[in-house]
Amino acid sequence: MSIGASMLFVLLRFAQIVITNVNAPIINIFIAKIVPHIIECISLYILARVIQYFLIRRAWENSHHWKYDFCVETIEKGLLISTSGEESKIQWSMFTHYRETNNLFLLYFSSNYYNLFPKRAFENQEVNQFRDLLRQNIQQIK
């Protein structure tokens, strides 16, 4: 459930409580009935972010393909990714968005399909150059 849908649910629930408890003071209704729902929504959001972190980490740990040495070169229209067994050219337009974490760049093809690029593979200056290229060519999602 998205944050917007959660807030709409809370507001509709609040309206229902107010209508059914016309004689009760509004602050008591708010504290007793609405605050727990707000806390629940915030907790669900935090839980979703934690789960997402562990899913990304598990995907990396379970992906044997990316544990081989690979080389990434930037070309005019995108990226050239080479391993010992294959070579792929990926145009910038293929990526829907990207996300940057403390340790990774994630370039998404869709909401669940992405390429991982560990920052430890870059020199400091290369990390900044790669970030600039991504900003110029792909939409960033935080």
Side-chain angles (χ1 to χ4, degrees):
M1 182 182 296
S2 71
I3 296 295
S6 298
M7 293 310 237
L8 180 61
F9 172 76
V10 169
L11 290 174
L12 290 173
R13 183 74 176 121
F14 179 69
Q16 178 187 17
I17 293 167
V18 170
I19 291 169
T20 57
N21 297 297
V22 175
N23 294 331
I26 195 87
I27 193 69
N28 292 342
I29 293 171
F30 182 77
I31 292 172
K33 302 289 184 174
I34 301 303
V35 170
H37 290 292
I38 293 172
I39 292 170
E40 179 183 359
C41 292
I42 293 169
S43 299
L44 287 174
Y45 175 77
I46 292 169
L47 180 64
R49 295 300 296 226
V50 169
I51 289 171
Q52 180 184 30
Y53 169 80
F54 285 108
L55 287 175
I56 291 170
R57 186 178 186 111
R58 190 176 86 194
W60 173 254
E61 289 170 353
N62 291 335
S63 174
H64 299 290
H65 174 75
W66 286 106
K67 293 186 180 175
Y68 297 112
D69 288 338
F70 65 95
C71 177
V72 178
E73 296 178 48
T74 56
I75 55 177
E76 183 179 333
K77 295 182 180 181
L79 299 175
L80 176 64
I81 302 172
S82 305
T83 67
S84 59
E86 66 182 353
E87 183 175 284
S88 299
K89 290 181 183 177
I90 305 172
Q91 294 183 1
W92 293 120
S93 60
M94 294 297 294
F95 299 108
T96 59
H97 60 281
Y98 80 95
R99 179 172 284 142
E100 181 177 352
T101 69
N102 291 336
N103 300 314
L104 299 169
F105 288 106
L106 294 95
L107 280 62
Y108 287 80
F109 296 102
S110 68
S111 60
N112 296 321
Y113 183 59
Y114 50 83
N115 278 344
L116 298 171
F117 297 95
K119 289 182 179 179
R120 68 177 182 265
F122 296 94
E123 298 293 329
N124 286 339
Q125 188 63 19
E126 290 176 337
V127 169
N128 293 332
Q129 291 172 346
F130 192 65
R131 183 182 298 116
D132 290 341
L133 274 173
L134 295 178
R135 286 180 183 151
Q136 292 171 8
N137 294 292
I138 307 172
Q139 177 187 3
Q140 182 177 14
I141 303 293
K142 298 190 182 209

